[in-house]
């Protein structure tokens, strides 16, 4: 299985993920066959010329979420952060996920059977901060 590494930018792109590349497991393992991020970083530098310290391992879980291009890298929190989806949403630094300021309502069995979902309406939330989720039909253009 491959290991995913995020290439972190510098200067104008500092702390931004500018690409994501995979390395073979064997290229990231020590002599005992144990994964070491620093070995993977050195390998990525050797094939790309990009500094090893700017290649960050992105596991499927942990470090917020799997890194994607344009995500931010927060070294202090040791997480990748996706772009904020709406101005009112807040970052949970424990998970690296953005959370709505109010809980999403649960779908009823009837709504699920009818193919309904909830979407976020920022304008609705701004007009009444007790509302924000709107029920819509799956497949409809939403936001």
């Amino acid at each position: 299985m491959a290991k995913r590494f995020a290439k972190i930018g510098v200067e104008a792109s500092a702390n931004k993920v500018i690409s994501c590349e995979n390395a073979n497991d064997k290229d990231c393992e020590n002599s005992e066959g144990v994964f070491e991020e620093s070995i993977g970083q050195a390998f990525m530098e050797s094939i790309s010329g990009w500094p090893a310290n700017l290649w960050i391992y992105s596991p499927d879980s942990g470090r917020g979420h799997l890194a994607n291009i344009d995500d931010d890298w927060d070294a202090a929190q040791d997480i990748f952060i996706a772009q904020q989806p709406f101005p009112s949403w807040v970052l949970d630094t424990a998970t690296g996920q953005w959370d709505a300021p109010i809980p999403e309502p649960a779908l009823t069995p009837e709504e699920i059977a009818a193919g309904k979902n909830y979407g976020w309406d920022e304008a609705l939330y701004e007009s009444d901060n007790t509302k924000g989720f709107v029920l819509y039909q799956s497949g409809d253009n939403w936001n």
Side-chain angles (χ1 to χ4, degrees):
M1 183 165 182
K3 302 292 187 204
R4 184 178 176 102
F5 283 84
K7 181 180 181 181
I8 308 301
V10 294
E11 296 175 13
S13 300
N15 299 318
K16 283 275 187 208
V17 175
I18 57 175
S19 74
C20 296
E21 307 294 337
N22 290 326
N24 291 323
D25 284 352
K26 66 177 180 55
D27 296 319
C28 304
E29 295 173 349
N30 64 22
S31 59
E32 286 94 42
V34 176
F35 170 77
E36 287 187 25
E37 182 172 11
S38 61
I39 294 172
Q41 289 172 311
F43 172 76
M44 296 306 291
E45 179 179 32
S46 74
I47 63 169
S48 70
W50 199 254
N53 67 312
L54 296 175
W55 286 102
I56 308 298
Y57 173 56
S58 177
D60 290 339
S61 61
R63 289 197 165 161
H65 67 273
L66 189 63
N68 293 297
I69 294 173
D70 289 331
D71 284 354
D72 290 315
W73 167 244
D74 185 331
Q77 299 290 332
D78 195 36
I79 57 173
F80 293 101
I81 302 169
Q83 297 302 303
Q84 186 176 14
F86 300 98
S88 63
W89 287 35
V90 294
L91 179 65
D92 179 340
T93 57
T95 65
Q97 303 299 311
W98 292 98
D99 295 329
I102 59 174
E104 182 174 345
L107 291 167
T108 66
E110 294 78 18
E111 291 167 338
I112 293 169
K116 304 277 185 173
N117 280 305
Y118 280 102
W120 184 255
D121 185 331
E122 186 72 10
L124 177 61
Y125 177 75
E126 289 173 359
S127 69
D128 178 351
N129 67 5
T130 65
K131 299 177 181 176
F133 284 99
V134 177
L135 191 63
Y136 70 96
Q137 182 67 44
S138 294
D140 289 350
N141 287 334
W142 179 252
N143 285 352

